[in-house]
Amino acid sequence: MNKTEIYKTIYEETLNRYQTRFSELGISPKTLGWGKASDQQVRFQAMTDNYDFDGKTIMDIGCGFADFYAFLKSRGTVCTYIGVDIIPEFLACAKKNFPESEFIQANFMLESSKLPKADVVLTNGTLNFKQNLISNMEYTEDFMKLACEKAEKAVIMDFLSAYLTKEYPKEAQVFYHDPLEVFKMALRYTNDVKLIHNYPAIPQKECICMLYLEKLRSVY
């Protein structure tokens, strides 16, 4: 099976998983695989504490219901938001709630060429599901490469960390990234990298990798 066939299969599996959840749970963080809305707030706060989104064009890959955009708006951040997802039901909800923003149904791994560039390309949790047809680290690197091609100023990626909290049992269906390996991977694209691993577990330990590309773009 070649890479295109692999990503088509992952697309079909992902589409089925989330459409099933949506039919059962409706508009809920649990539909997206998160515990509760307050967990999302912790993650989003960690991102906004470490990057100024004001005035930026943001492309959110795997945007779901555009919860991150809702968070930014609640904090008074003014930005141009582009939400990208493969689930039409999610996008329909997002469009209804945020008609001022752009939403695109696309598979980022196969259709990135149809997407615009943005100041910031980010993703929350889309790389956490354990893959069977490809190694998760190869999947993550493919994503990071495409994201760097689309971003003018920064790429921001959220992961579940391999440094688990003792209170939370490891789950078989998800992949826990080694933050140090992600950091080394990011250094292939820019020397300006920040790894954030000091925000509260929600309840699993997460990390955020930020790749700053603006200096790199100005040099070249």
Side-chain angles (χ1 to χ4, degrees):
M1 187 179 290
N2 62 37
K3 188 70 73 73
T4 298
E5 292 171 331
I6 289 172
Y7 282 132
K8 283 182 178 178
T9 301
I10 292 172
Y11 161 78
E12 292 166 359
E13 293 173 349
T14 304
L15 186 67
N16 179 66
R17 182 188 314 124
Y18 285 105
Q19 285 185 318
T20 299
R21 285 183 186 174
F22 183 76
S23 67
E24 295 172 350
L25 301 171
I27 302 174
S28 166
K30 292 183 178 180
T31 300
L32 306 175
W34 304 116
K36 52 187 182 296
S38 59
D39 293 346
Q40 288 182 306
Q41 302 290 307
V42 173
R43 180 182 309 109
F44 295 161
Q45 188 65 55
M47 287 189 170
T48 55
D49 283 346
N50 286 275
Y51 193 84
D52 182 9
F53 292 93
D54 200 62
K56 306 293 194 306
T57 297
I58 302 163
M59 185 157 63
D60 186 356
I61 309 300
C63 67
F65 304 120
D67 293 329
F68 184 63
Y69 181 54
F71 178 86
L72 292 175
K73 289 190 67 172
S74 72
R75 297 305 191 270
T77 300
V78 178
C79 63
T80 299
Y81 181 84
I82 304 168
V84 179
D85 210 298
I86 65 170
I87 314 299
E89 292 87 347
F90 293 177
L91 293 171
C93 294
K95 288 177 182 178
K96 181 178 179 180
N97 290 329
F98 308 108
E100 74 277 11
S101 294
E102 181 180 3
F103 294 95
I104 304 171
Q105 185 175 343
N107 183 333
F108 186 65
M109 306 304 281
L110 293 174
E111 301 175 300
S112 64
S113 61
K114 69 185 280 186
L115 298 174
K117 287 201 170 189
D119 294 324
V120 183
V121 174
L122 67 86
T123 192
N124 273 297
T126 58
L127 303 170
N128 288 339
F129 199 81
K130 192 170 185 178
Q131 301 298 332
N132 298 313
L133 300 176
I134 187 173
S135 78
N136 275 83
M137 292 306 292
E138 183 177 357
Y139 183 90
T140 296
E141 183 160 17
D142 286 350
F143 185 100
M144 187 180 289
K145 180 177 183 295
L146 292 172
C148 287
E149 291 172 357
K150 288 295 176 180
E152 297 288 352
K153 296 182 178 180
V155 170
I156 301 175
M157 305 168 72
D158 166 86
F159 305 92
L160 288 175
S161 172
Y163 293 86
L164 290 87
T165 53
K166 294 179 181 179
E167 299 80 13
Y168 200 91
K170 191 171 184 178
E171 296 179 304
Q173 75 273 18
V174 298
F175 182 78
Y176 299 90
H177 285 78
D178 183 332
L180 300 179
E181 293 302 316
V182 174
F183 185 78
K184 288 191 288 186
M185 183 186 295
L187 288 172
R188 299 172 192 169
Y189 299 95
T190 173
N191 286 332
D192 296 319
V193 181
K194 179 186 284 188
L195 191 68
I196 305 159
H197 201 274
N198 65 338
Y199 55 103
I202 46 178
Q204 301 184 62
K205 192 65 177 175
E206 297 184 6
C207 62
I208 296 169
C209 187
M210 294 190 168
L211 293 76
Y212 298 91
L213 306 174
E214 194 164 9
K215 291 180 182 178
L216 187 69
R217 297 287 187 257
S218 66
V219 171
Y220 297 99

PDB file of all heavy atoms in Angstrom, residues 50-63:
ATOM      1  N   ASN A  50       1.500  31.655  24.978  1.00  0.00           N
ATOM      2  CA  ASN A  50       2.812  31.530  24.357  1.00  0.00           C
ATOM      3  C   ASN A  50       2.885  32.038  22.921  1.00  0.00           C
ATOM      4  O   ASN A  50       3.938  31.964  22.290  1.00  0.00           O
ATOM      5  CB  ASN A  50       3.257  30.062  24.397  1.00  0.00           C
ATOM      6  CG  ASN A  50       3.669  29.617  25.781  1.00  0.00           C
ATOM      7  OD1 ASN A  50       4.806  29.815  26.187  1.00  0.00           O
ATOM      8  ND2 ASN A  50       2.736  29.024  26.516  1.00  0.00           N
ATOM      9  N   TYR A  51       1.748  32.530  22.411  1.00  0.00           N
ATOM     10  CA  TYR A  51       1.767  33.091  21.059  1.00  0.00           C
ATOM     11  C   TYR A  51       0.677  34.149  20.941  1.00  0.00           C
ATOM     12  O   TYR A  51      -0.435  33.960  21.430  1.00  0.00           O
ATOM     13  CB  TYR A  51       1.556  31.996  20.004  1.00  0.00           C
ATOM     14  CG  TYR A  51       1.883  32.473  18.596  1.00  0.00           C
ATOM     15  CD1 TYR A  51       3.192  32.460  18.136  1.00  0.00           C
ATOM     16  CD2 TYR A  51       0.886  32.977  17.766  1.00  0.00           C
ATOM     17  CE1 TYR A  51       3.505  32.929  16.865  1.00  0.00           C
ATOM     18  CE2 TYR A  51       1.191  33.442  16.503  1.00  0.00           C
ATOM     19  CZ  TYR A  51       2.496  33.420  16.055  1.00  0.00           C
ATOM     20  OH  TYR A  51       2.809  33.897  14.806  1.00  0.00           O
ATOM     21  N   ASP A  52       0.994  35.237  20.271  1.00  0.00           N
ATOM     22  CA  ASP A  52       0.047  36.324  20.069  1.00  0.00           C
ATOM     23  C   ASP A  52      -0.685  36.115  18.744  1.00  0.00           C
ATOM     24  O   ASP A  52      -0.111  36.293  17.670  1.00  0.00           O
ATOM     25  CB  ASP A  52       0.793  37.661  20.066  1.00  0.00           C
ATOM     26  CG  ASP A  52      -0.150  38.852  19.897  1.00  0.00           C
ATOM     27  OD1 ASP A  52      -1.384  38.648  19.957  1.00  0.00           O
ATOM     28  OD2 ASP A  52       0.358  39.974  19.713  1.00  0.00           O
ATOM     29  N   PHE A  53      -1.937  35.715  18.825  1.00  0.00           N
ATOM     30  CA  PHE A  53      -2.734  35.432  17.634  1.00  0.00           C
ATOM     31  C   PHE A  53      -3.421  36.673  17.072  1.00  0.00           C
ATOM     32  O   PHE A  53      -4.028  36.610  16.008  1.00  0.00           O
ATOM     33  CB  PHE A  53      -3.786  34.365  17.948  1.00  0.00           C
ATOM     34  CG  PHE A  53      -3.209  33.003  18.223  1.00  0.00           C
ATOM     35  CD1 PHE A  53      -2.924  32.596  19.526  1.00  0.00           C
ATOM     36  CD2 PHE A  53      -2.935  32.131  17.186  1.00  0.00           C
ATOM     37  CE1 PHE A  53      -2.393  31.346  19.784  1.00  0.00           C
ATOM     38  CE2 PHE A  53      -2.405  30.871  17.432  1.00  0.00           C
ATOM     39  CZ  PHE A  53      -2.126  30.479  18.737  1.00  0.00           C
ATOM     40  N   ASP A  54      -3.355  37.779  17.792  1.00  0.00           N
ATOM     41  CA  ASP A  54      -4.062  38.979  17.369  1.00  0.00           C
ATOM     42  C   ASP A  54      -3.538  39.477  16.023  1.00  0.00           C
ATOM     43  O   ASP A  54      -2.333  39.602  15.806  1.00  0.00           O
ATOM     44  CB  ASP A  54      -3.899  40.081  18.417  1.00  0.00           C
ATOM     45  CG  ASP A  54      -4.967  41.143  18.298  1.00  0.00           C
ATOM     46  OD1 ASP A  54      -6.152  40.819  18.455  1.00  0.00           O
ATOM     47  OD2 ASP A  54      -4.616  42.305  18.014  1.00  0.00           O
ATOM     48  N   GLY A  55      -4.468  39.731  15.102  1.00  0.00           N
ATOM     49  CA  GLY A  55      -4.114  40.235  13.790  1.00  0.00           C
ATOM     50  C   GLY A  55      -3.595  39.192  12.812  1.00  0.00           C
ATOM     51  O   GLY A  55      -3.251  39.524  11.675  1.00  0.00           O
ATOM     52  N   LYS A  56      -3.561  37.936  13.225  1.00  0.00           N
ATOM     53  CA  LYS A  56      -3.014  36.871  12.384  1.00  0.00           C
ATOM     54  C   LYS A  56      -4.120  36.181  11.582  1.00  0.00           C
ATOM     55  O   LYS A  56      -5.293  36.175  11.961  1.00  0.00           O
ATOM     56  CB  LYS A  56      -2.309  35.810  13.248  1.00  0.00           C
ATOM     57  CG  LYS A  56      -1.238  36.340  14.185  1.00  0.00           C
ATOM     58  CD  LYS A  56      -0.051  36.889  13.467  1.00  0.00           C
ATOM     59  CE  LYS A  56       1.145  37.084  14.409  1.00  0.00           C
ATOM     60  NZ  LYS A  56       0.869  37.888  15.617  1.00  0.00           N
ATOM     61  N   THR A  57      -3.714  35.593  10.468  1.00  0.00           N
ATOM     62  CA  THR A  57      -4.578  34.653   9.748  1.00  0.00           C
ATOM     63  C   THR A  57      -4.223  33.264  10.245  1.00  0.00           C
ATOM     64  O   THR A  57      -3.070  32.831  10.138  1.00  0.00           O
ATOM     65  CB  THR A  57      -4.363  34.744   8.230  1.00  0.00           C
ATOM     66  OG1 THR A  57      -4.727  36.047   7.779  1.00  0.00           O
ATOM     67  CG2 THR A  57      -5.222  33.718   7.497  1.00  0.00           C
ATOM     68  N   ILE A  58      -5.216  32.564  10.781  1.00  0.00           N
ATOM     69  CA  ILE A  58      -4.995  31.272  11.428  1.00  0.00           C
ATOM     70  C   ILE A  58      -5.710  30.187  10.638  1.00  0.00           C
ATOM     71  O   ILE A  58      -6.906  30.304  10.356  1.00  0.00           O
ATOM     72  CB  ILE A  58      -5.536  31.288  12.865  1.00  0.00           C
ATOM     73  CG1 ILE A  58      -4.863  32.406  13.679  1.00  0.00           C
ATOM     74  CG2 ILE A  58      -5.343  29.932  13.538  1.00  0.00           C
ATOM     75  CD1 ILE A  58      -5.614  32.736  14.949  1.00  0.00           C
ATOM     76  N   MET A  59      -4.997  29.128  10.286  1.00  0.00           N
ATOM     77  CA  MET A  59      -5.626  27.970   9.661  1.00  0.00           C
ATOM     78  C   MET A  59      -5.566  26.815  10.657  1.00  0.00           C
ATOM     79  O   MET A  59      -4.482  26.344  11.014  1.00  0.00           O
ATOM     80  CB  MET A  59      -4.949  27.599   8.340  1.00  0.00           C
ATOM     81  CG  MET A  59      -5.666  26.466   7.613  1.00  0.00           C
ATOM     82  SD  MET A  59      -5.360  26.431   5.820  1.00  0.00           S
ATOM     83  CE  MET A  59      -3.583  26.122   5.772  1.00  0.00           C
ATOM     84  N   ASP A  60      -6.734  26.382  11.105  1.00  0.00           N
ATOM     85  CA  ASP A  60      -6.880  25.369  12.146  1.00  0.00           C
ATOM     86  C   ASP A  60      -7.226  24.037  11.480  1.00  0.00           C
ATOM     87  O   ASP A  60      -8.338  23.844  10.990  1.00  0.00           O
ATOM     88  CB  ASP A  60      -7.985  25.815  13.107  1.00  0.00           C
ATOM     89  CG  ASP A  60      -8.137  24.914  14.315  1.00  0.00           C
ATOM     90  OD1 ASP A  60      -7.444  23.884  14.387  1.00  0.00           O
ATOM     91  OD2 ASP A  60      -8.952  25.262  15.193  1.00  0.00           O
ATOM     92  N   ILE A  61      -6.256  23.119  11.471  1.00  0.00           N
ATOM     93  CA  ILE A  61      -6.446  21.814  10.824  1.00  0.00           C
ATOM     94  C   ILE A  61      -7.109  20.855  11.808  1.00  0.00           C
ATOM     95  O   ILE A  61      -6.603  20.620  12.902  1.00  0.00           O
ATOM     96  CB  ILE A  61      -5.098  21.234  10.346  1.00  0.00           C
ATOM     97  CG1 ILE A  61      -4.321  22.256   9.502  1.00  0.00           C
ATOM     98  CG2 ILE A  61      -5.329  19.940   9.577  1.00  0.00           C
ATOM     99  CD1 ILE A  61      -5.037  22.720   8.266  1.00  0.00           C
ATOM    100  N   GLY A  62      -8.238  20.286  11.383  1.00  0.00           N
ATOM    101  CA  GLY A  62      -9.028  19.471  12.299  1.00  0.00           C
ATOM    102  C   GLY A  62      -9.769  20.374  13.267  1.00  0.00           C
ATOM    103  O   GLY A  62      -9.773  20.149  14.476  1.00  0.00           O
ATOM    104  N   CYS A  63     -10.425  21.390  12.724  1.00  0.00           N
ATOM    105  CA  CYS A  63     -11.010  22.461  13.543  1.00  0.00           C
ATOM    106  C   CYS A  63     -12.205  22.018  14.365  1.00  0.00           C
ATOM    107  O   CYS A  63     -12.580  22.689  15.328  1.00  0.00           O
ATOM    108  CB  CYS A  63     -11.389  23.638  12.659  1.00  0.00           C
ATOM    109  SG  CYS A  63     -12.747  23.299  11.500  1.00  0.00           S
TER     110      CYS A  63
END
